[in-house]
Amino acid sequence: MPANGQRRTRTARLVRTLAVAGTGATVLALPLMGATTASAATPASAKTAATVGYPNNLDGWIRASLAVMAEKKIPGTYNGIYRNVMRESSGNPLAINLWDSNAAKGIPSKGLLQVIDPTFKAYHVAGTSYDIYDPVANITAACNYAAARYGSIDNVFGAY
C-alpha cells in the first residue's frame, strides 16, 4: 500500500505496466496509457506540428522541427533526422529505453530521438514544448544537442 494510505488502483498498475518490444539497438516501451501526464505544462505558444501547419505524423513532426531549426539556425536535414529517428525509436514518440546505462542510473532515454531529461532541458529550444515526449520538441532539442556535439544530426550514425 502506498505511503499516503491510498489504495493503488488498477489504472495505476496499468500505467506502470509496459509492453516491451526490441528493435535493433533500442528497446521500446509502449505505455498502455499516455506517458505525458507527468510532464511540465506546455505554453500556449509552443510550436507543434499542428500549430505550424503540418500533419500529426512522423513526416509532419520532422518538417515542423526543421521549420523551428531554420528559425534558430540549427543545422540538420530531413534525411539525417529520419535516419536517426528510425534507429532510435522506430518512429514511436513514446519510446523509452529501460535497459541501457542511462536507465540503470535512473534517467532513461525518451522519445523519438531517445534523449535523457538533463540533455533535453539543457538543449531545449525556445518556442517548443517542455514535454520530452512532444515529437517536435524532442527532435529539435536532440538536433540542437547533436549540432553542439557533432556539428549536425546528419553527422550522427550511432547512439549519441
Side-chain angles (χ1 to χ4, degrees):
M1 188 170 237
N4 64 4
Q6 293 179 342
R7 200 178 112 126
R8 285 191 177 132
T9 64
R10 184 175 184 180
T11 302
R13 284 190 305 263
L14 285 173
V15 170
R16 290 188 312 275
T17 303
L18 301 173
V20 178
T23 60
T26 303
V27 170
L28 304 178
L30 309 173
L32 297 174
M33 303 214 30
T36 60
T37 56
S39 300
T42 302
S45 62
K47 292 182 180 171
T48 64
T51 62
V52 191
Y54 296 105
N56 190 26
N57 59 30
L58 182 57
D59 177 65
W61 302 329
I62 293 172
R63 293 183 344 181
S65 183
L66 285 168
V68 174
M69 291 166 58
E71 286 177 18
K72 305 293 184 176
K73 307 216 182 311
I74 300 169
T77 64
Y78 187 101
N79 289 339
I81 294 169
Y82 183 84
R83 179 186 70 242
N84 282 285
V85 164
M86 296 315 296
R87 184 191 62 254
E88 294 292 337
S89 69
S90 298
N92 177 6
L94 301 179
I96 183 168
N97 183 322
L98 299 174
W99 63 268
D100 72 358
S101 60
N102 287 321
K105 295 175 190 169
I107 49 170
S109 305
K110 301 172 183 175
L112 287 171
L113 283 168
Q114 294 294 279
V115 181
I116 61 173
D117 288 324
T119 302
F120 180 79
K121 289 175 185 165
Y123 290 90
H124 175 261
V125 176
T128 64
S129 169
Y130 288 93
D131 179 358
I132 196 168
Y133 291 103
D134 177 84
V136 175
N138 187 279
I139 291 170
T140 310
C143 289
N144 195 24
Y145 167 75
R149 177 125 190 208
Y150 305 104
S152 172
I153 191 74
D154 298 332
N155 298 329
V156 178
F157 292 94
Y160 57 106

